[in-house]
Every structure is written in C-alpha cells, then in structure tokens.
Amino acid sequence: MAKTSRKSSPVAAETPSAPVKTDVLIAGAGYVGMTTAVAIKTGAPQLDVTIIDAAPAGQWKKDPRASAIAAAATRMLGQLGCWEAIKPDAQPINDMVITDSRVSDPVRPVFLTFAGEVNPGEPFAHMVENKVLNASLHAKAAELGINVIEGVGVDGFITESNAVTVTLADGRLLETRLLVGADGVRSRMRDQAGIKTVHWSYGQSGIVCNVSHERPHEGRAIEHFFPAGPFAILPLKGNRSSLVWAERTEDANRLVAQDDFVFEAELEQRFGHHLGEIRIEGNKRAFPLGLTLAREFVKPRFALVGDAAHGIHPIAGQGLNLGFRDAATLAQVIVDTERLGLDIGSFAALEQYQTWRRFDTVQMGVSTDVLTRLFSNDSLALRTVRDIGLGLVDRLPMMKNYFIKQAAGFGKENPRLLQGEAI
C-alpha cells in the first residue's frame, strides 16, 4: 500500500480512474530526486511537486553508505535550508593523500597531496552518511508541502502535447506537466521513455562498508591505487571511516561472502596499521562498476537526472556531485521558465537543461574512464608514466589549485544554487 509524507497528499484521496494533476512529478526519492524537488519548490512555491518512491516507506533510513559532498553542493544545500541539519554529522575532509603501489609493497610512497580548503574555512568536501543527508531532505520536503508517495512505483506513462499521464503500480493515475526520471542507473523511466545508453563494464565491483578504528583520522582522506582498482579511505565523524574498495568482480564477490574475520584480514593488508585496529561496522556489499551515459537527457515533457542520466566509476568521487549539478541546473531552468510564464515541460525549456549538462557529463565520464584504465593495472610502463604525472602535479601549485576547485565542484557555468546564490 502506498504511504505518504506527513502532509496529506491530494493524490491519495482520488480514485484510480481520476487523474490527479501535479505540475512536476519526480520518479525516484534518492538524494538527487529529493534535491531536485526541494530546489524547484523553493524557487517556485506555486508549483505543485510530487515524488514517487518505489521503495518501502522509510527504507532510506537503513542506507549504511556515506557520500562525499563537494563544497559547491554544500553551498546549494545551505541555500535550500538543509545544511544546518546535516552539518553536526558532516566530517570535513581536511586533506587528501594519493599513493600508487601494489598491496604487497612494504612502503607506499605518496605521490600527490591536496590541502582540504578551497577558501579559508571552506573544505573542498565533507563526508556525510546517506541517511543523514536524506533525513534533512525529507524534512525539508515535508516543510515545503511536497507530496511524497512511498511504496509504489511508476507502471508506465503516456506523453501528450500538453501533459504526461502516469500510471502507478497500484492503478492510480496522475497528470503532470513535467515528468523527471531520478530512479538510478538501471532506470526503468529511462527505458520507458525509449532513451538508449552507452554502457560498458569495467569487470570490477565496488565494495562499500564502514569501519571503526583506534586512532583519529584527523579528517584525512587516502586513496591507494592498486592494480585491481582504487581503495579509498574516507573520514567519518569520530574514529570511523567509509571505504570504497574496487576489486575484480569475482574477487569482490568472494570477499563479501567471507565472514568478518577473514574479510578484516584482507582489508588490513590494504588499509594498513596507521589508524590502529579496525573493525567492520554493519554489512558489506559489492556493486558492479561500469560507465553508463544516456544518449539523451530529455524527451518532450521528460527529463533525466542523477544516475539515471549517467553512472560513472567512483575513482574520482564525483558521481553524487554530478547528480547535484543536474538537480541545480534543472531546477533553475524550470524556475526561470515558470517566472517567464512559459511552459515548464516544453521541449525548448528542457533542451536548455540538456545543453547545459551534456558536455560536463561526457567530460566527467571520459575522465573517470581514462583514470580507471590508467590506474587499474600492473603495467610497469604505465605506472612510471602516471607516477611522474602525479609527482609533477604535486609540484605545481597552480595545477593543484585547479584540481582542488574541480573536485569542489566550482565550474565556470555553475547554476546559481551551486554558487551559493538563491535560485
């Protein structure tokens, strides 16, 4: 049975045969879908915004993962009134260290380091547990009067000239001026819209888990490049860290199937002893890694955001922040179009969003693909080249500053929210 947010939804009161009208309907209640809804409603309170979440009510509270939130996204969350609730549980990344070695090497030389501030008092990123981020977004959505329908998915939709009629899995009908697909990398909305993708697998899976350790991390993030894939240690609040560990898929599946004792022994070889004894917190899971790029981001009265539009390798930690850029851009286009009294679902309006986002997305996809292929191997020639490159970057302050600003999400044509400005 579908459940709604604390604010009663007019959708729930209607019979299945009576389509209920809403201005914007977002399919997917992850952090990108929720942020898109909150941003649109903040900029244009007169618009009716509805979110459809196929997951059971409250499922997001069980998400054990954590995410790196870039400085630009932090500014956006501040403008949307969400950051103050998140900040007490957010761990600033004070600096970052990059090494390149084999697991068996007794010494892992540091080739590149980054200071953690883009401006005085502004770290280039924070680590935030997903359930904390989602709690803030859900609270803000309820405060703004956004309709959230949980526990039911979209069964299908029909696009007409002036509206999209959406059928939910329980038979209810909704009519919307704009439908947004925010349902992840295996997006059913994208498939139903007939949008094709470019996709390939890296033969790797990312093991994700949290660990506790004896010694404080001091806000330092560490990324080890091993032949099988990158191994990132990302600081959380307290003596805890989040791990993103890429391994060949068959090895990753074997590792997560092991009991904690065996898994921790394998983990310790990669993690090292600099933070003392380590212990696994909660479950460990593995996710297949690949590159997925939608050939189109928009159709008439339809737009994709987040992983539904692009799924990239986590080697640069930019997947979520790409999605936040989608959310900020689409919200700005919709709000500006509404203020002009024009049709928010028109293809002309949505084409602005696609044009704005396409180059950045393809550029990031290509960059992460090149980095993955360059670093996930044991070629002596490639290792020599990449280590010389890392060393050169480390010795060029202007280049390091450029990379820090890119990691912080400060692009040349950022939408207003990512600049810390009101939408």
Side-chain angles (χ1 to χ4, degrees):
M1 179 179 294
K3 297 185 180 180
T4 62
S5 64
R6 287 175 290 178
K7 287 189 176 290
S8 61
S9 167
V11 174
E14 297 289 335
T15 62
S17 60
V20 176
K21 294 185 178 181
T22 185
D23 294 305
V24 181
L25 178 63
I26 299 173
Y31 21 71
V32 175
M34 292 295 297
T35 301
T36 303
V38 169
I40 292 170
K41 190 68 173 178
T42 299
Q46 71 277 18
L47 292 178
D48 186 80
V49 180
T50 300
I51 300 174
I52 302 298
D53 186 6
Q59 184 69 29
W60 56 269
K61 298 177 183 177
K62 302 175 183 178
D63 189 344
R65 297 171 297 171
S67 300
I69 310 296
T74 300
R75 292 182 180 185
M76 175 179 69
L77 291 168
Q79 274 295 325
L80 297 178
C82 297
W83 185 248
E84 283 305 309
I86 297 169
K87 189 175 181 180
D89 296 306
Q91 170 61 51
I93 297 180
N94 297 325
D95 65 341
M96 186 167 186
V97 171
I98 296 175
T99 76
D100 185 14
S101 62
R102 298 180 180 89
V103 173
S104 59
D105 289 349
V107 178
R108 294 174 187 167
V110 174
F111 288 96
L112 183 58
T113 61
F114 289 110
E117 292 189 337
V118 287
N119 292 301
E122 185 178 22
F124 79 86
H126 288 79
M127 285 299 299
V128 177
E129 293 185 74
N130 289 359
K131 58 188 176 184
V132 172
L133 174 60
N134 272 323
S136 176
L137 289 167
H138 275 77
K140 181 56 65 172
E143 178 186 320
L144 293 171
I146 294 171
N147 303 315
V148 182
I149 303 175
E150 297 178 295
V152 61
V154 173
D155 189 55
F157 61 90
I158 298 172
T159 303
E160 299 173 343
S161 59
N162 296 320
V164 182
T165 301
V166 177
T167 304
L168 301 186
D170 61 6
R172 283 181 289 171
L173 301 177
L174 293 85
E175 184 178 289
T176 183
R177 297 162 63 194
L178 173 63
L179 177 61
V180 179
D183 55 337
V185 71
R186 295 183 178 88
S187 171
R188 291 186 69 245
M189 302 299 298
R190 182 184 64 217
D191 293 342
Q192 290 174 18
I195 296 177
K196 298 185 181 301
T197 63
V198 174
H199 172 79
W200 54 79
S201 170
Y202 293 116
Q204 296 177 331
S205 288
I207 301 171
V208 179
C209 64
N210 296 336
V211 299
S212 58
H213 37 76
E214 285 185 289
R215 303 190 189 108
H217 46 56
E218 308 294 349
R220 168 169 287 182
I222 302 173
E223 185 157 26
H224 298 296
F225 287 121
F226 294 131
F231 178 90
I233 304 171
L234 305 166
L236 297 175
K237 276 290 187 180
N239 286 7
R240 303 168 60 239
S241 294
S242 175
L243 304 182
V244 181
W245 172 3
E247 281 284 343
R248 296 177 184 91
T249 295
E250 58 271 23
D251 294 331
N253 292 336
R254 173 184 59 81
L255 284 163
V256 297
Q258 302 286 353
D259 61 34
D260 284 354
F261 179 80
V262 175
F263 183 82
E264 285 172 358
E266 292 275 359
L267 173 61
E268 192 174 73
Q269 294 183 44
R270 295 156 178 80
F271 194 100
H273 302 280
H274 61 290
L275 295 179
E277 187 177 358
I278 56 175
R279 286 286 180 267
I280 299 296
E281 289 187 345
N283 296 326
K284 49 191 183 293
R285 294 189 290 176
F287 301 88
L289 301 178
L291 176 69
T292 301
L293 296 176
R295 292 184 180 272
E296 301 169 278
F297 285 11
V298 300
K299 288 279 191 177
R301 301 198 174 277
F302 181 83
L304 293 172
V305 294
D307 287 351
H310 42 71
I312 64 173
H313 196 286
I315 191 168
Q318 289 298 306
L320 171 60
N321 294 292
L322 264 186
F324 278 146
R325 293 206 281 276
D326 294 345
T329 304
L330 182 59
Q332 183 167 316
V333 168
I334 291 173
V335 171
D336 286 350
T337 302
E338 172 69 10
R339 286 171 180 165
L340 292 171
L342 302 176
D343 183 358
I344 62 171
S346 69
F347 192 76
L350 297 179
E351 182 66 19
Q352 296 179 50
Y353 162 69
Q354 176 167 262
T355 301
W356 201 344
R357 293 299 303 131
R358 176 171 280 173
F359 177 77
D360 179 41
T361 300
V362 172
Q363 182 184 50
M364 184 61 69
V366 170
S367 297
T368 55
D369 184 68
V370 170
L371 286 172
T372 300
R373 297 178 189 280
L374 178 63
F375 284 94
S376 296
N377 63 76
D378 201 21
S379 165
L380 178 60
L382 285 178
R383 172 172 290 183
T384 301
V385 169
R386 70 200 186 206
D387 291 349
I388 290 172
L390 290 172
L392 285 173
V393 172
D394 198 49
R395 289 164 175 79
L396 296 172
M398 289 184 64
M399 188 172 290
K400 285 179 72 170
N401 186 58
Y402 169 79
F403 283 120
I404 290 172
K405 288 191 177 296
Q406 290 299 305
F410 295 148
K412 290 182 179 179
E413 297 183 359
N414 268 352
R416 291 189 292 270
L417 283 173
L418 292 174
Q419 298 178 46
E421 299 173 2
I423 192 170

